[in-house]
Amino acid sequence: MSDRKRKRSPEKAERPHDPAKKVAVAAPSATLKVTVLPESDGWCPIVGISLPSSIPLTPYKRSISSDPRILPPGHTSPPSCELLLQSSVHPNLDYLAREAPTGSADGVLAHYTAIYDPSTGSLQITPARKVTVRSTLRNEAAEIRDRVEASRAAAAARQSSFAQRQALSSEFGTKKARKAIASLTENAIASGRGRATSPGGTAIKQDASSAAVLDSMASSTDTMPDKAALQAAVDDAKPRPRANLAATTPADVYTLDGLIGADMRSIAVLDWQAAAVRNDDVRTPSRFVSRRLAAVAQGGDVGKLKALRYVLLLLNFLAALKPGRGGGRRLPPRDELEKKTGAAGALLDGIRRRFGDGGGMSKWHVDYLITHVAALSLVVDNFSSDTYDLKEDLRLENKQMSQYFHELGCKMSAPTEKEKQLLKLSKTEAAAHRIARLKLPLDFPKQRALAAKRR
């Protein structure tokens, strides 16, 4: 029986190295010196983050009140602040990293980072904080609605109902109304001296109620918005892309990053580039796109070619909508929308998020889409665009089309003699064409003052 037993090798076999097994680190010469830093509310190392280096996080501290009976191991006092890290750099996602709440399963664990220096044989242990990163999808349509509602609420908060009537009467009222407001202002100023004057200049006595009313009128005039503030509130609520008012050239006013955003990566133009190389005639449902496709594709500017493709997608998207109430539109089923627009996947979802409102589009959203198309046409035509082709695509009148471009800050004019020759227009044809020119300073529509009615 002993001969049948497996004989052991005289030399001890070496076991393969397990990479997951921890290996102890020992100092080469001197005794290991271990230093443990105390817990503090200052900055400290963070563990638990796995994000690309292109997404920076901004740290914040928030004061908290925790139960001193629930402490992580090694803590002598509850932490007085909570660490938050946030980032909105990504075009579609928001990132938020925060610690586990005190008292939870992860909140009672303590984390440390150790730094070993082999030259001195020292080991420094520092308390660290573990955070969990979560991402949320940013809804662009909700951001637009929130921005419009916030601007309206801010404008309403700046002025009371009385201040609104005063501002409207001062701007658009008759001479008699403006004179009455001036008289009220004089009375409010005179109330500080204890006496008020009538419109004729005669001093009158005031009782306690009159003095209180005049004092409230004097305080309300301090918060009365001026004409510039009213114009800014109106501009923020208009359905148009946000213009860069600090731009030094027309090319910086409306950029492709602002008009298209992250959808630029999903726009394919290889078929148009190949057709341009073969000198093929590409036909599209849009007059604007068809008349510019060959020149833009042969020019080699991929950004303008993608802008032209995006204009075609938006025009097809608008044509696929069904009539709704109040000038709005309704979205058809998704399969029908994909077939009519030629877009699918993330690109179609991006268009619906940017310009849609749930299952439909209000008049505000339709105007918002058309102003984006007009701004993209300016980029394609080097900020001097003939609006005739786009007017025919959208089935609008010259006055309506000119108003959309005027909302972007363009100046509208008839084509010059040189432009007539370039576009090959006769005198009769030139009468139906308008040229939109984007120049600095921008020319936005102003609030119109209503003329006083004559009696």
mmCIF file with all atom_site columns, all heavy atoms in Angstrom, residues 160 162-163 166 184-185 187-189 191-192 206 208-224:
data_model
loop_
_atom_site.group_PDB
_atom_site.id
_atom_site.type_symbol
_atom_site.label_atom_id
_atom_site.label_alt_id
_atom_site.label_comp_id
_atom_site.label_asym_id
_atom_site.label_entity_id
_atom_site.label_seq_id
_atom_site.pdbx_PDB_ins_code
_atom_site.Cartn_x
_atom_site.Cartn_y
_atom_site.Cartn_z
_atom_site.occupancy
_atom_site.B_iso_or_equiv
_atom_site.pdbx_formal_charge
_atom_site.auth_seq_id
_atom_site.auth_comp_id
_atom_site.auth_asym_id
_atom_site.auth_atom_id
_atom_site.pdbx_PDB_model_num
ATOM 1   N N   . SER A 1 160 ? -44.364 96.280  -9.065  1.00 0.00 ? 160 SER A N   1
ATOM 2   C CA  . SER A 1 160 ? -45.692 95.990  -8.566  1.00 0.00 ? 160 SER A CA  1
ATOM 3   C C   . SER A 1 160 ? -46.714 96.363  -9.638  1.00 0.00 ? 160 SER A C   1
ATOM 4   O O   . SER A 1 160 ? -46.381 96.883  -10.697 1.00 0.00 ? 160 SER A O   1
ATOM 5   C CB  . SER A 1 160 ? -45.950 96.763  -7.275  1.00 0.00 ? 160 SER A CB  1
ATOM 6   O OG  . SER A 1 160 ? -45.872 98.150  -7.524  1.00 0.00 ? 160 SER A OG  1
ATOM 7   N N   . PHE A 1 162 ? -48.897 98.719  -9.420  1.00 0.00 ? 162 PHE A N   1
ATOM 8   C CA  . PHE A 1 162 ? -48.918 100.178 -9.556  1.00 0.00 ? 162 PHE A CA  1
ATOM 9   C C   . PHE A 1 162 ? -47.726 100.669 -10.367 1.00 0.00 ? 162 PHE A C   1
ATOM 10  O O   . PHE A 1 162 ? -47.845 101.562 -11.219 1.00 0.00 ? 162 PHE A O   1
ATOM 11  C CB  . PHE A 1 162 ? -48.907 100.819 -8.164  1.00 0.00 ? 162 PHE A CB  1
ATOM 12  C CG  . PHE A 1 162 ? -48.890 102.324 -8.189  1.00 0.00 ? 162 PHE A CG  1
ATOM 13  C CD1 . PHE A 1 162 ? -50.042 103.040 -8.446  1.00 0.00 ? 162 PHE A CD1 1
ATOM 14  C CD2 . PHE A 1 162 ? -47.710 103.020 -7.974  1.00 0.00 ? 162 PHE A CD2 1
ATOM 15  C CE1 . PHE A 1 162 ? -50.023 104.422 -8.479  1.00 0.00 ? 162 PHE A CE1 1
ATOM 16  C CE2 . PHE A 1 162 ? -47.685 104.392 -8.006  1.00 0.00 ? 162 PHE A CE2 1
ATOM 17  C CZ  . PHE A 1 162 ? -48.848 105.105 -8.258  1.00 0.00 ? 162 PHE A CZ  1
ATOM 18  N N   . ALA A 1 163 ? -46.557 100.061 -10.140 1.00 0.00 ? 163 ALA A N   1
ATOM 19  C CA  . ALA A 1 163 ? -45.368 100.469 -10.891 1.00 0.00 ? 163 ALA A CA  1
ATOM 20  C C   . ALA A 1 163 ? -45.514 100.135 -12.369 1.00 0.00 ? 163 ALA A C   1
ATOM 21  O O   . ALA A 1 163 ? -45.031 100.874 -13.237 1.00 0.00 ? 163 ALA A O   1
ATOM 22  C CB  . ALA A 1 163 ? -44.127 99.790  -10.312 1.00 0.00 ? 163 ALA A CB  1
ATOM 23  N N   . GLN A 1 166 ? -47.633 102.796 -13.868 1.00 0.00 ? 166 GLN A N   1
ATOM 24  C CA  . GLN A 1 166 ? -46.870 104.026 -13.974 1.00 0.00 ? 166 GLN A CA  1
ATOM 25  C C   . GLN A 1 166 ? -45.895 103.972 -15.148 1.00 0.00 ? 166 GLN A C   1
ATOM 26  O O   . GLN A 1 166 ? -45.733 104.935 -15.893 1.00 0.00 ? 166 GLN A O   1
ATOM 27  C CB  . GLN A 1 166 ? -46.094 104.276 -12.665 1.00 0.00 ? 166 GLN A CB  1
ATOM 28  C CG  . GLN A 1 166 ? -46.974 104.557 -11.457 1.00 0.00 ? 166 GLN A CG  1
ATOM 29  C CD  . GLN A 1 166 ? -47.551 105.951 -11.494 1.00 0.00 ? 166 GLN A CD  1
ATOM 30  O OE1 . GLN A 1 166 ? -48.528 106.195 -12.189 1.00 0.00 ? 166 GLN A OE1 1
ATOM 31  N NE2 . GLN A 1 166 ? -46.950 106.865 -10.789 1.00 0.00 ? 166 GLN A NE2 1
ATOM 32  N N   . LEU A 1 184 ? -47.922 113.527 -9.284  1.00 0.00 ? 184 LEU A N   1
ATOM 33  C CA  . LEU A 1 184 ? -47.843 112.587 -8.168  1.00 0.00 ? 184 LEU A CA  1
ATOM 34  C C   . LEU A 1 184 ? -46.424 112.470 -7.630  1.00 0.00 ? 184 LEU A C   1
ATOM 35  O O   . LEU A 1 184 ? -46.195 112.369 -6.425  1.00 0.00 ? 184 LEU A O   1
ATOM 36  C CB  . LEU A 1 184 ? -48.355 111.213 -8.614  1.00 0.00 ? 184 LEU A CB  1
ATOM 37  C CG  . LEU A 1 184 ? -49.857 111.092 -8.887  1.00 0.00 ? 184 LEU A CG  1
ATOM 38  C CD1 . LEU A 1 184 ? -50.173 109.706 -9.445  1.00 0.00 ? 184 LEU A CD1 1
ATOM 39  C CD2 . LEU A 1 184 ? -50.650 111.360 -7.633  1.00 0.00 ? 184 LEU A CD2 1
ATOM 40  N N   . THR A 1 185 ? -45.455 112.474 -8.526  1.00 0.00 ? 185 THR A N   1
ATOM 41  C CA  . THR A 1 185 ? -44.058 112.409 -8.095  1.00 0.00 ? 185 THR A CA  1
ATOM 42  C C   . THR A 1 185 ? -43.661 113.643 -7.301  1.00 0.00 ? 185 THR A C   1
ATOM 43  O O   . THR A 1 185 ? -42.972 113.551 -6.280  1.00 0.00 ? 185 THR A O   1
ATOM 44  C CB  . THR A 1 185 ? -43.145 112.250 -9.321  1.00 0.00 ? 185 THR A CB  1
ATOM 45  O OG1 . THR A 1 185 ? -43.584 111.135 -10.095 1.00 0.00 ? 185 THR A OG1 1
ATOM 46  C CG2 . THR A 1 185 ? -41.704 112.042 -8.896  1.00 0.00 ? 185 THR A CG2 1
ATOM 47  N N   . ASN A 1 187 ? -45.676 115.503 -5.539  1.00 0.00 ? 187 ASN A N   1
ATOM 48  C CA  . ASN A 1 187 ? -46.332 115.400 -4.238  1.00 0.00 ? 187 ASN A CA  1
ATOM 49  C C   . ASN A 1 187 ? -45.602 114.431 -3.317  1.00 0.00 ? 187 ASN A C   1
ATOM 50  O O   . ASN A 1 187 ? -45.499 114.657 -2.114  1.00 0.00 ? 187 ASN A O   1
ATOM 51  C CB  . ASN A 1 187 ? -47.785 114.955 -4.410  1.00 0.00 ? 187 ASN A CB  1
ATOM 52  C CG  . ASN A 1 187 ? -48.662 116.046 -5.004  1.00 0.00 ? 187 ASN A CG  1
ATOM 53  O OD1 . ASN A 1 187 ? -48.327 117.227 -4.888  1.00 0.00 ? 187 ASN A OD1 1
ATOM 54  N ND2 . ASN A 1 187 ? -49.745 115.664 -5.638  1.00 0.00 ? 187 ASN A ND2 1
ATOM 55  N N   . ALA A 1 188 ? -45.108 113.308 -3.912  1.00 0.00 ? 188 ALA A N   1
ATOM 56  C CA  . ALA A 1 188 ? -44.375 112.347 -3.088  1.00 0.00 ? 188 ALA A CA  1
ATOM 57  C C   . ALA A 1 188 ? -43.082 112.949 -2.559  1.00 0.00 ? 188 ALA A C   1
ATOM 58  O O   . ALA A 1 188 ? -42.679 112.695 -1.428  1.00 0.00 ? 188 ALA A O   1
ATOM 59  C CB  . ALA A 1 188 ? -44.078 111.089 -3.912  1.00 0.00 ? 188 ALA A CB  1
ATOM 60  N N   . ILE A 1 189 ? -42.427 113.758 -3.380  1.00 0.00 ? 189 ILE A N   1
ATOM 61  C CA  . ILE A 1 189 ? -41.192 114.412 -2.922  1.00 0.00 ? 189 ILE A CA  1
ATOM 62  C C   . ILE A 1 189 ? -41.506 115.464 -1.869  1.00 0.00 ? 189 ILE A C   1
ATOM 63  O O   . ILE A 1 189 ? -40.812 115.614 -0.854  1.00 0.00 ? 189 ILE A O   1
ATOM 64  C CB  . ILE A 1 189 ? -40.464 115.042 -4.125  1.00 0.00 ? 189 ILE A CB  1
ATOM 65  C CG1 . ILE A 1 189 ? -40.021 113.944 -5.093  1.00 0.00 ? 189 ILE A CG1 1
ATOM 66  C CG2 . ILE A 1 189 ? -39.263 115.854 -3.672  1.00 0.00 ? 189 ILE A CG2 1
ATOM 67  C CD1 . ILE A 1 189 ? -39.447 114.468 -6.376  1.00 0.00 ? 189 ILE A CD1 1
ATOM 68  N N   . SER A 1 191 ? -43.867 115.434 0.198   1.00 0.00 ? 191 SER A N   1
ATOM 69  C CA  . SER A 1 191 ? -44.345 114.854 1.451   1.00 0.00 ? 191 SER A CA  1
ATOM 70  C C   . SER A 1 191 ? -43.250 114.740 2.484   1.00 0.00 ? 191 SER A C   1
ATOM 71  O O   . SER A 1 191 ? -43.507 114.682 3.678   1.00 0.00 ? 191 SER A O   1
ATOM 72  C CB  . SER A 1 191 ? -44.958 113.476 1.180   1.00 0.00 ? 191 SER A CB  1
ATOM 73  O OG  . SER A 1 191 ? -43.960 112.578 0.739   1.00 0.00 ? 191 SER A OG  1
ATOM 74  N N   . GLY A 1 192 ? -42.031 114.690 2.040   1.00 0.00 ? 192 GLY A N   1
ATOM 75  C CA  . GLY A 1 192 ? -40.919 114.641 2.992   1.00 0.00 ? 192 GLY A CA  1
ATOM 76  C C   . GLY A 1 192 ? -40.779 115.921 3.787   1.00 0.00 ? 192 GLY A C   1
ATOM 77  O O   . GLY A 1 192 ? -40.195 115.945 4.869   1.00 0.00 ? 192 GLY A O   1
ATOM 78  N N   . GLN A 1 206 ? -52.120 117.588 4.663   1.00 0.00 ? 206 GLN A N   1
ATOM 79  C CA  . GLN A 1 206 ? -52.142 116.139 4.542   1.00 0.00 ? 206 GLN A CA  1
ATOM 80  C C   . GLN A 1 206 ? -52.594 115.527 5.846   1.00 0.00 ? 206 GLN A C   1
ATOM 81  O O   . GLN A 1 206 ? -52.212 115.998 6.923   1.00 0.00 ? 206 GLN A O   1
ATOM 82  C CB  . GLN A 1 206 ? -50.753 115.579 4.209   1.00 0.00 ? 206 GLN A CB  1
ATOM 83  C CG  . GLN A 1 206 ? -50.176 116.040 2.904   1.00 0.00 ? 206 GLN A CG  1
ATOM 84  C CD  . GLN A 1 206 ? -48.828 115.419 2.682   1.00 0.00 ? 206 GLN A CD  1
ATOM 85  O OE1 . GLN A 1 206 ? -48.470 114.468 3.335   1.00 0.00 ? 206 GLN A OE1 1
ATOM 86  N NE2 . GLN A 1 206 ? -48.078 115.988 1.761   1.00 0.00 ? 206 GLN A NE2 1
ATOM 87  N N   . ALA A 1 208 ? -52.952 111.634 7.962   1.00 0.00 ? 208 ALA A N   1
ATOM 88  C CA  . ALA A 1 208 ? -52.033 110.493 8.136   1.00 0.00 ? 208 ALA A CA  1
ATOM 89  C C   . ALA A 1 208 ? -52.137 109.508 6.980   1.00 0.00 ? 208 ALA A C   1
ATOM 90  O O   . ALA A 1 208 ? -51.133 108.977 6.500   1.00 0.00 ? 208 ALA A O   1
ATOM 91  C CB  . ALA A 1 208 ? -52.337 109.789 9.460   1.00 0.00 ? 208 ALA A CB  1
ATOM 92  N N   . SER A 1 209 ? -53.358 109.266 6.478   1.00 0.00 ? 209 SER A N   1
ATOM 93  C CA  . SER A 1 209 ? -53.523 108.313 5.378   1.00 0.00 ? 209 SER A CA  1
ATOM 94  C C   . SER A 1 209 ? -52.890 108.829 4.091   1.00 0.00 ? 209 SER A C   1
ATOM 95  O O   . SER A 1 209 ? -52.255 108.082 3.342   1.00 0.00 ? 209 SER A O   1
ATOM 96  C CB  . SER A 1 209 ? -55.005 108.018 5.154   1.00 0.00 ? 209 SER A CB  1
ATOM 97  O OG  . SER A 1 209 ? -55.694 109.209 4.820   1.00 0.00 ? 209 SER A OG  1
ATOM 98  N N   . SER A 1 210 ? -53.071 110.144 3.826   1.00 0.00 ? 210 SER A N   1
ATOM 99  C CA  . SER A 1 210 ? -52.462 110.712 2.621   1.00 0.00 ? 210 SER A CA  1
ATOM 100 C C   . SER A 1 210 ? -50.943 110.635 2.678   1.00 0.00 ? 210 SER A C   1
ATOM 101 O O   . SER A 1 210 ? -50.274 110.332 1.684   1.00 0.00 ? 210 SER A O   1
ATOM 102 C CB  . SER A 1 210 ? -52.910 112.164 2.446   1.00 0.00 ? 210 SER A CB  1
ATOM 103 O OG  . SER A 1 210 ? -54.318 112.236 2.305   1.00 0.00 ? 210 SER A OG  1
ATOM 104 N N   . ALA A 1 211 ? -50.382 110.912 3.851   1.00 0.00 ? 211 ALA A N   1
ATOM 105 C CA  . ALA A 1 211 ? -48.926 110.838 3.992   1.00 0.00 ? 211 ALA A CA  1
ATOM 106 C C   . ALA A 1 211 ? -48.423 109.417 3.779   1.00 0.00 ? 211 ALA A C   1
ATOM 107 O O   . ALA A 1 211 ? -47.379 109.191 3.146   1.00 0.00 ? 211 ALA A O   1
ATOM 108 C CB  . ALA A 1 211 ? -48.510 111.346 5.374   1.00 0.00 ? 211 ALA A CB  1
ATOM 109 N N   . ALA A 1 212 ? -49.189 108.418 4.272   1.00 0.00 ? 212 ALA A N   1
ATOM 110 C CA  . ALA A 1 212 ? -48.771 107.024 4.087   1.00 0.00 ? 212 ALA A CA  1
ATOM 111 C C   . ALA A 1 212 ? -48.818 106.627 2.623   1.00 0.00 ? 212 ALA A C   1
ATOM 112 O O   . ALA A 1 212 ? -47.934 105.939 2.110   1.00 0.00 ? 212 ALA A O   1
ATOM 113 C CB  . ALA A 1 212 ? -49.661 106.105 4.920   1.00 0.00 ? 212 ALA A CB  1
ATOM 114 N N   . VAL A 1 213 ? -49.874 107.075 1.905   1.00 0.00 ? 213 VAL A N   1
ATOM 115 C CA  . VAL A 1 213 ? -49.980 106.762 0.482   1.00 0.00 ? 213 VAL A CA  1
ATOM 116 C C   . VAL A 1 213 ? -48.838 107.384 -0.296  1.00 0.00 ? 213 VAL A C   1
ATOM 117 O O   . VAL A 1 213 ? -48.210 106.758 -1.163  1.00 0.00 ? 213 VAL A O   1
ATOM 118 C CB  . VAL A 1 213 ? -51.339 107.226 -0.064  1.00 0.00 ? 213 VAL A CB  1
ATOM 119 C CG1 . VAL A 1 213 ? -51.376 107.109 -1.588  1.00 0.00 ? 213 VAL A CG1 1
ATOM 120 C CG2 . VAL A 1 213 ? -52.456 106.406 0.543   1.00 0.00 ? 213 VAL A CG2 1
ATOM 121 N N   . LEU A 1 214 ? -48.518 108.645 -0.002  1.00 0.00 ? 214 LEU A N   1
ATOM 122 C CA  . LEU A 1 214 ? -47.439 109.322 -0.721  1.00 0.00 ? 214 LEU A CA  1
ATOM 123 C C   . LEU A 1 214 ? -46.080 108.691 -0.410  1.00 0.00 ? 214 LEU A C   1
ATOM 124 O O   . LEU A 1 214 ? -45.213 108.606 -1.274  1.00 0.00 ? 214 LEU A O   1
ATOM 125 C CB  . LEU A 1 214 ? -47.438 110.811 -0.364  1.00 0.00 ? 214 LEU A CB  1
ATOM 126 C CG  . LEU A 1 214 ? -48.651 111.600 -0.880  1.00 0.00 ? 214 LEU A CG  1
ATOM 127 C CD1 . LEU A 1 214 ? -48.605 113.033 -0.368  1.00 0.00 ? 214 LEU A CD1 1
ATOM 128 C CD2 . LEU A 1 214 ? -48.695 111.589 -2.389  1.00 0.00 ? 214 LEU A CD2 1
ATOM 129 N N   . ASP A 1 215 ? -45.905 108.247 0.849   1.00 0.00 ? 215 ASP A N   1
ATOM 130 C CA  . ASP A 1 215 ? -44.641 107.573 1.188   1.00 0.00 ? 215 ASP A CA  1
ATOM 131 C C   . ASP A 1 215 ? -44.493 106.272 0.412   1.00 0.00 ? 215 ASP A C   1
ATOM 132 O O   . ASP A 1 215 ? -43.410 105.923 -0.057  1.00 0.00 ? 215 ASP A O   1
ATOM 133 C CB  . ASP A 1 215 ? -44.581 107.305 2.691   1.00 0.00 ? 215 ASP A CB  1
ATOM 134 C CG  . ASP A 1 215 ? -44.376 108.587 3.497   1.00 0.00 ? 215 ASP A CG  1
ATOM 135 O OD1 . ASP A 1 215 ? -43.912 109.579 2.891   1.00 0.00 ? 215 ASP A OD1 1
ATOM 136 O OD2 . ASP A 1 215 ? -44.697 108.595 4.693   1.00 0.00 ? 215 ASP A OD2 1
ATOM 137 N N   . SER A 1 216 ? -45.586 105.502 0.288   1.00 0.00 ? 216 SER A N   1
ATOM 138 C CA  . SER A 1 216 ? -45.510 104.249 -0.477  1.00 0.00 ? 216 SER A CA  1
ATOM 139 C C   . SER A 1 216 ? -45.258 104.519 -1.946  1.00 0.00 ? 216 SER A C   1
ATOM 140 O O   . SER A 1 216 ? -44.550 103.774 -2.627  1.00 0.00 ? 216 SER A O   1
ATOM 141 C CB  . SER A 1 216 ? -46.801 103.453 -0.301  1.00 0.00 ? 216 SER A CB  1
ATOM 142 O OG  . SER A 1 216 ? -47.895 104.160 -0.859  1.00 0.00 ? 216 SER A OG  1
ATOM 143 N N   . MET A 1 217 ? -45.834 105.615 -2.478  1.00 0.00 ? 217 MET A N   1
ATOM 144 C CA  . MET A 1 217 ? -45.575 105.969 -3.874  1.00 0.00 ? 217 MET A CA  1
ATOM 145 C C   . MET A 1 217 ? -44.128 106.350 -4.085  1.00 0.00 ? 217 MET A C   1
ATOM 146 O O   . MET A 1 217 ? -43.504 105.999 -5.095  1.00 0.00 ? 217 MET A O   1
ATOM 147 C CB  . MET A 1 217 ? -46.483 107.120 -4.294  1.00 0.00 ? 217 MET A CB  1
ATOM 148 C CG  . MET A 1 217 ? -47.954 106.737 -4.408  1.00 0.00 ? 217 MET A CG  1
ATOM 149 S SD  . MET A 1 217 ? -49.021 108.163 -4.608  1.00 0.00 ? 217 MET A SD  1
ATOM 150 C CE  . MET A 1 217 ? -48.281 108.908 -6.042  1.00 0.00 ? 217 MET A CE  1
ATOM 151 N N   . ALA A 1 218 ? -43.545 107.053 -3.128  1.00 0.00 ? 218 ALA A N   1
ATOM 152 C CA  . ALA A 1 218 ? -42.140 107.436 -3.266  1.00 0.00 ? 218 ALA A CA  1
ATOM 153 C C   . ALA A 1 218 ? -41.225 106.224 -3.249  1.00 0.00 ? 218 ALA A C   1
ATOM 154 O O   . ALA A 1 218 ? -40.240 106.151 -3.978  1.00 0.00 ? 218 ALA A O   1
ATOM 155 C CB  . ALA A 1 218 ? -41.759 108.407 -2.145  1.00 0.00 ? 218 ALA A CB  1
ATOM 156 N N   . SER A 1 219 ? -41.555 105.209 -2.398  1.00 0.00 ? 219 SER A N   1
ATOM 157 C CA  . SER A 1 219 ? -40.711 104.002 -2.354  1.00 0.00 ? 219 SER A CA  1
ATOM 158 C C   . SER A 1 219 ? -40.884 103.148 -3.600  1.00 0.00 ? 219 SER A C   1
ATOM 159 O O   . SER A 1 219 ? -39.951 102.493 -4.062  1.00 0.00 ? 219 SER A O   1
ATOM 160 C CB  . SER A 1 219 ? -41.048 103.182 -1.104  1.00 0.00 ? 219 SER A CB  1
ATOM 161 O OG  . SER A 1 219 ? -42.412 102.786 -1.150  1.00 0.00 ? 219 SER A OG  1
ATOM 162 N N   . SER A 1 220 ? -42.126 103.161 -4.185  1.00 0.00 ? 220 SER A N   1
ATOM 163 C CA  . SER A 1 220 ? -42.350 102.349 -5.382  1.00 0.00 ? 220 SER A CA  1
ATOM 164 C C   . SER A 1 220 ? -41.629 102.904 -6.594  1.00 0.00 ? 220 SER A C   1
ATOM 165 O O   . SER A 1 220 ? -41.239 102.155 -7.490  1.00 0.00 ? 220 SER A O   1
ATOM 166 C CB  . SER A 1 220 ? -43.850 102.253 -5.671  1.00 0.00 ? 220 SER A CB  1
ATOM 167 O OG  . SER A 1 220 ? -44.370 103.531 -6.011  1.00 0.00 ? 220 SER A OG  1
ATOM 168 N N   . THR A 1 221 ? -41.448 104.219 -6.653  1.00 0.00 ? 221 THR A N   1
ATOM 169 C CA  . THR A 1 221 ? -40.734 104.790 -7.796  1.00 0.00 ? 221 THR A CA  1
ATOM 170 C C   . THR A 1 221 ? -39.261 104.408 -7.804  1.00 0.00 ? 221 THR A C   1
ATOM 171 O O   . THR A 1 221 ? -38.624 104.428 -8.855  1.00 0.00 ? 221 THR A O   1
ATOM 172 C CB  . THR A 1 221 ? -40.873 106.320 -7.786  1.00 0.00 ? 221 THR A CB  1
ATOM 173 O OG1 . THR A 1 221 ? -40.402 106.828 -6.529  1.00 0.00 ? 221 THR A OG1 1
ATOM 174 C CG2 . THR A 1 221 ? -42.316 106.736 -8.005  1.00 0.00 ? 221 THR A CG2 1
ATOM 175 N N   . ASP A 1 222 ? -38.708 104.057 -6.636  1.00 0.00 ? 222 ASP A N   1
ATOM 176 C CA  . ASP A 1 222 ? -37.298 103.657 -6.591  1.00 0.00 ? 222 ASP A CA  1
ATOM 177 C C   . ASP A 1 222 ? -37.075 102.321 -7.287  1.00 0.00 ? 222 ASP A C   1
ATOM 178 O O   . ASP A 1 222 ? -36.013 102.087 -7.868  1.00 0.00 ? 222 ASP A O   1
ATOM 179 C CB  . ASP A 1 222 ? -36.817 103.577 -5.137  1.00 0.00 ? 222 ASP A CB  1
ATOM 180 C CG  . ASP A 1 222 ? -36.839 104.945 -4.462  1.00 0.00 ? 222 ASP A CG  1
ATOM 181 O OD1 . ASP A 1 222 ? -36.786 105.956 -5.192  1.00 0.00 ? 222 ASP A OD1 1
ATOM 182 O OD2 . ASP A 1 222 ? -36.938 104.997 -3.220  1.00 0.00 ? 222 ASP A OD2 1
ATOM 183 N N   . THR A 1 223 ? -38.053 101.424 -7.179  1.00 0.00 ? 223 THR A N   1
ATOM 184 C CA  . THR A 1 223 ? -37.918 100.092 -7.794  1.00 0.00 ? 223 THR A CA  1
ATOM 185 C C   . THR A 1 223 ? -38.548 100.020 -9.170  1.00 0.00 ? 223 THR A C   1
ATOM 186 O O   . THR A 1 223 ? -38.637 98.937  -9.747  1.00 0.00 ? 223 THR A O   1
ATOM 187 C CB  . THR A 1 223 ? -38.569 99.037  -6.886  1.00 0.00 ? 223 THR A CB  1
ATOM 188 O OG1 . THR A 1 223 ? -39.956 99.367  -6.719  1.00 0.00 ? 223 THR A OG1 1
ATOM 189 C CG2 . THR A 1 223 ? -37.886 98.998  -5.523  1.00 0.00 ? 223 THR A CG2 1
ATOM 190 N N   . MET A 1 224 ? -38.997 101.134 -9.708  1.00 0.00 ? 224 MET A N   1
ATOM 191 C CA  . MET A 1 224 ? -39.639 101.115 -11.021 1.00 0.00 ? 224 MET A CA  1
ATOM 192 C C   . MET A 1 224 ? -38.606 100.794 -12.102 1.00 0.00 ? 224 MET A C   1
ATOM 193 O O   . MET A 1 224 ? -37.561 101.443 -12.169 1.00 0.00 ? 224 MET A O   1
ATOM 194 C CB  . MET A 1 224 ? -40.279 102.471 -11.296 1.00 0.00 ? 224 MET A CB  1
ATOM 195 C CG  . MET A 1 224 ? -41.083 102.514 -12.599 1.00 0.00 ? 224 MET A CG  1
ATOM 196 S SD  . MET A 1 224 ? -41.763 104.156 -12.890 1.00 0.00 ? 224 MET A SD  1
ATOM 197 C CE  . MET A 1 224 ? -42.821 104.324 -11.470 1.00 0.00 ? 224 MET A CE  1
#
